Amino acid sequence: MTLTGTTVAFFALIVLLTLSLGYSSTNEYTAARVESCRGCSLNRLPEVKKFIFEDLPLYENVEFKPIPGAVPELVLLNKNDEEVERLQLSRLNREECNELLVNKGFKISRPIKDEI
């Protein structure tokens, strides 16, 4: 049986897809932290500030780490507590910040109270 170039390319693609799927499953996010200053640039981002101080404490396995002068970033960690991804929050509003955490697989342990 002779393999054509197309057949070899097809099998190579299958192997690559299998390897990439296996690799991505090892990068599941198990924890996250938001790094930001407590004021400074955060005072110019009231939606992100509300997210950090009012919503973030409601999430499981997510913490806030204050860093003087830092812009707000979401740091996603794997099971070995290694950084996998880092995302800036400064362009997002409060709702988008919450959606981002939920889309990354984090759950709220207590419901967020609606503002009246």
Side-chain angles (χ1 to χ4, degrees), residues 12 16 25 32 58 84 86 102 110 115:
L16 286 173
S25 67
L58 305 177
V84 178
R86 183 177 287 260
V102 171
R110 298 187 311 259
E115 293 183 349

Side-chain angles (χ1 to χ4, degrees), residues 23-31 77-80 84 104:
Y23 177 75
S24 66
S25 67
T26 62
N27 282 336
E28 292 178 352
Y29 308 122
T30 57
L77 308 166
N78 65 15
K79 65 181 178 181
N80 298 322
V84 178
K104 294 294 183 179

Side-chain angles (χ1 to χ4, degrees), residues 14-85:
I14 296 298
V15 170
L16 286 173
L17 285 173
T18 303
L19 290 174
S20 69
L21 288 175
Y23 177 75
S24 66
S25 67
T26 62
N27 282 336
E28 292 178 352
Y29 308 122
T30 57
R33 72 176 169 261
V34 171
E35 297 178 350
S36 176
C37 64
R38 289 187 183 271
C40 306
S41 65
L42 203 54
N43 287 330
R44 292 186 294 273
L45 303 166
E47 291 274 318
V48 176
K49 187 173 184 175
K50 284 182 181 182
F51 164 73
I52 290 173
F53 292 111
E54 296 176 23
D55 301 345
L56 197 67
L58 305 177
Y59 284 90
E60 298 173 6
N61 300 318
V62 182
E63 64 180 20
F64 172 62
K65 181 178 180 180
I67 299 176
V71 296
E73 292 181 319
L74 174 65
V75 181
L76 298 158
L77 308 166
N78 65 15
K79 65 181 178 181
N80 298 322
D81 206 32
E82 299 166 329
E83 182 177 326
V84 178
E85 191 173 356

